[in-house]
Amino acid sequence: MELMRSAQPDRYLRLEQLLSRTSFDSARSPQHTARNESRRLKIAEQLLAEVCTAPASRLLTLLGHSIKWQQLQGILSPNVPYDLFFGRAQMIAPAEDKAPCKLLTTIKFPKKQCPNSLAFSPDGAYLATGSADGFIELWNPTTGKIADELKYQADGALMMMEDAVTALAFSYNGEMICSGAKDGKLKVWRSKTGSCAKRFPAAHSQGVTCLAFSRDHSQILSGGHDNVLRIHGLKSAKMLKELRGHSASVTSAIFSEDMANIISTSDDGSVRIWDTSTTNCIHTVVPDSDKHGLSAPATHSALAIPGSPSEFVVCTKSPSIYILAMDGSVRKSITVDK
């Protein structure tokens, strides 16, 4: 600076005046010239031709797709809000488990329209019912009234099977409903529009008893009174695999969390654990065999345990329920006193 002060006093004075100002005016800067400005504009135009621009909403769309993919893979829970700012799921304080003690609402059906099956949507916003007359309806579980915010229901254009509806299941994202009927047919519906997306006219030779979607919504698992489990492809609308082994009606069937196994229960009193890829039965468990021998009561349902992918709950036609592991061992039994 001392060298500039002695060699270029005018320039030094201008710089000193600029530094003493409380605000900066680029037009009064000694470097601000028309030539420099034109060069800057030219460089900006060249960069603009090389840089791709997208609307700000595109980022939100991509983030939404990313979260949806993680929910499909089981990385994130579909029912837990995700905080984009902190990059983590919002913590929800665990609620105390209590037995239901209060009737919230009642849904009344005509005598010839008695419900044979029902299913809650994953977010709990809807209750789907399937009736003996073949109709499938979505209800508001809080008010007990038909969900008339869905236009097709308000217009009376209900989803319908040709025979009594015997099984229902929602997809994990709640966008699809699968219905099974007494005649062995399956249909897949879009819950928001009521339109039929896929039909499986010969899913089972007898009535369908249970349904389950895969986590990626690409397959449907079904069981029936024909003692058989089948895996159906949603894209192809064809049966992909068949699992045989039960000697009586299949009462429930679910995929394991990683979809590597299938768990099924049956009126024959057994619980079977299957390998999804090979369709081989790798474990057969009869929970009540030590008490009842060969006349073990029917196993009614298998339920996944949240947060414990290697275990599941089995309910039987007895005062006992069982917690089983994927290796076929009985971890725990709970008996209710009569």
Side-chain angles (χ1 to χ4, degrees):
M1 293 296 291
E2 290 296 330
L3 182 61
M4 181 187 293
R5 185 175 184 179
S6 58
Q8 298 176 324
D10 294 339
R11 186 182 179 190
Y12 178 83
L13 183 60
R14 285 196 300 271
L15 287 174
E16 194 174 51
Q17 290 174 349
L18 285 172
L19 290 172
S20 63
R21 291 179 178 273
T22 56
S23 61
F24 179 74
D25 185 0
S26 60
R28 301 190 64 175
S29 170
Q31 301 296 326
H32 183 80
T33 63
R35 183 180 177 184
N36 289 340
E37 187 65 24
S38 63
R39 287 181 62 190
R40 293 191 187 96
L41 291 174
K42 187 176 180 180
I43 292 172
E45 290 174 358
Q46 292 175 346
L47 287 173
L48 189 61
E50 300 294 332
V51 176
C52 296
T53 59
S57 59
R58 179 62 179 161
L59 176 60
L60 291 176
T61 302
L62 291 173
L63 287 170
H65 289 331
S66 174
I67 292 173
K68 190 173 183 180
W69 180 85
Q70 291 183 72
Q71 290 174 342
L72 291 176
Q73 298 300 313
I75 301 171
L76 296 176
S77 172
N79 302 321
V80 177
Y82 188 79
D83 194 317
L84 288 174
F85 183 78
F86 289 102
R88 65 191 181 199
Q90 295 181 10
M91 299 300 294
I92 299 177
E96 182 183 355
D97 288 334
K98 293 182 179 179
C101 57
K102 182 181 179 182
L103 177 64
L104 184 63
T105 187
T106 301
I107 301 174
K108 294 184 178 181
F109 291 82
K111 290 183 178 180
K112 294 183 179 181
Q113 198 184 345
C114 61
N116 291 337
S117 56
L118 57 84
F120 277 99
S121 62
D123 59 2
Y126 297 112
L127 171 65
T129 59
S131 304
D133 56 5
F135 284 107
I136 302 161
E137 298 168 289
L138 297 185
W139 305 80
N140 183 322
T142 303
T143 63
K145 296 181 179 180
I146 195 79
D148 54 11
E149 68 271 15
L150 300 171
K151 188 176 184 301
Y152 65 93
Q153 292 205 144
D155 295 341
L158 301 179
M159 298 175 282
M160 186 177 180
M161 302 290 286
E162 289 78 15
D163 207 336
V165 183
T166 53
L168 287 172
F170 272 94
S171 60
Y172 280 86
N173 58 9
E175 295 178 2
M176 293 182 289
I177 303 172
C178 185
S179 58
K182 188 178 179 180
D183 56 9
K185 296 179 181 179
L186 293 183
K187 288 184 181 180
V188 179
W189 311 85
R190 296 181 179 90
S191 59
K192 296 299 182 184
T193 64
S195 60
C196 184
K198 295 290 179 181
R199 301 171 189 265
F200 301 86
H204 288 270
S205 59
Q206 297 182 43
V208 180
T209 57
C210 55
L211 296 165
F213 276 88
S214 62
R215 286 188 173 272
D216 60 0
H217 312 128
S218 65
Q219 298 175 356
I220 294 172
L221 174 64
S222 65
H225 285 300
D226 53 6
N227 311 345
V228 179
L229 293 106
R230 291 191 171 100
I231 301 174
H232 313 271
L234 270 178
K235 287 187 178 180
S236 64
K238 295 180 180 179
M239 185 191 74
L240 304 178
K241 296 177 181 179
E242 185 176 79
L243 297 83
R244 291 182 175 270
H246 284 296
S247 59
S249 298
V250 179
T251 53
S252 73
I254 58 172
F255 284 104
S256 62
E257 189 171 304
D258 58 3
M259 287 185 59
N261 299 108
I262 290 171
I263 301 99
S264 63
T265 59
S266 170
D267 280 338
D268 62 14
S270 70
V271 179
R272 288 180 177 260
I273 302 171
W274 312 77
D275 185 298
T276 307
S277 59
T278 65
T279 69
N280 292 330
C281 179
I282 54 179
H283 298 290
T284 301
V285 184
V286 181
D288 283 319
S289 60
D290 57 336
K291 299 178 183 178
H292 304 276
L294 297 176
S295 60
T299 50
H300 274 284
S301 59
L303 302 170
I305 301 177
S308 183
S310 62
E311 296 179 327
F312 55 94
V313 177
V314 171
C315 302
T316 66
K317 195 176 180 180
S318 74
S320 301
I321 61 173
Y322 299 86
I323 298 177
L324 273 66
M326 288 296 176
D327 60 5
S329 61
V330 178
R331 297 286 176 86
K332 187 177 182 180
S333 64
I334 303 170
T335 301
V336 180
D337 295 330
K338 295 181 180 180

